Amino acid sequence: GINAEYGHRLLARHQQPGESISEFMSTLEQLANECDYKDVNAETHRDESVRDAFVQGISNGAIRQRLLEEGGTRAELYNKARTLEQAIRNNETFTIGQRMLLNEIEVQQCDPAPVDEGLPLVAATYRNVAPRFRK
């Protein structure tokens, strides 16, 4: 058997906003340790429980669906989820970069008047865009 309170917490746990795949898996493993599995097949049961809770609790529906379709061990699904999460982050970073470039192009096209007399048009539009990139 398992500690019922921790077993429920394990199965009810979902990935939180801003929580990485690695952080989520670590939390699930900690909850599983607190379940105190004691069967002969305790390690297998523990891994399956963590695997199931991990897949069910992932906040990104596309990642969750892919893991459900492909199946695998806890370690295999964890590695697939991390890879998919990184691919999504890389895509978002690329998309943000594209948006920033498009915004710069739009500003250059929409602001034809130089800010200071005698400055080239490119310098004037660059000056208008630059503050958007400062931290």
Side-chain angles (χ1 to χ4, degrees), residues 68-122:
L68 288 169
E69 289 171 359
E70 294 183 10
T73 66
R74 177 180 64 95
E76 290 168 343
L77 293 178
Y78 170 66
N79 288 328
K80 287 176 190 176
R82 287 182 57 208
T83 300
L84 292 168
E85 179 185 56
Q86 188 59 48
I88 290 168
R89 282 188 183 153
N90 290 344
N91 185 48
E92 288 172 354
T93 301
F94 180 73
T95 302
I96 289 168
Q98 286 178 320
R99 285 188 198 133
M100 290 172 67
L101 179 61
L102 290 175
N103 287 340
E104 182 176 353
I105 291 168
E106 287 173 12
V107 167
Q108 287 177 357
Q109 290 175 350
C110 295
D111 189 12
V115 173
D116 295 322
E117 293 296 327
L119 288 178
L121 178 59
V122 175

Side-chain angles (χ1 to χ4, degrees), residues 15-85:
Q15 186 179 17
Q16 302 299 307
E19 182 178 39
S20 72
I21 292 291
S22 296
E23 293 166 335
F24 179 52
M25 177 58 89
S26 178
T27 300
L28 291 177
E29 289 176 338
Q30 182 179 2
L31 286 171
N33 287 336
E34 296 169 350
C35 287
D36 194 26
Y37 291 96
K38 295 182 182 179
D39 291 350
V40 173
N41 296 321
E43 190 62 29
T44 300
H45 183 64
R46 177 190 176 283
D47 280 351
E48 290 174 356
S49 294
V50 171
R51 178 200 63 201
D52 295 346
F54 177 69
V55 172
Q56 288 178 2
I58 288 179
S59 61
N60 183 298
I63 293 176
R64 185 175 51 253
Q65 184 62 37
R66 181 88 173 263
L67 298 180
L68 288 169
E69 289 171 359
E70 294 183 10
T73 66
R74 177 180 64 95
E76 290 168 343
L77 293 178
Y78 170 66
N79 288 328
K80 287 176 190 176
R82 287 182 57 208
T83 300
L84 292 168
E85 179 185 56

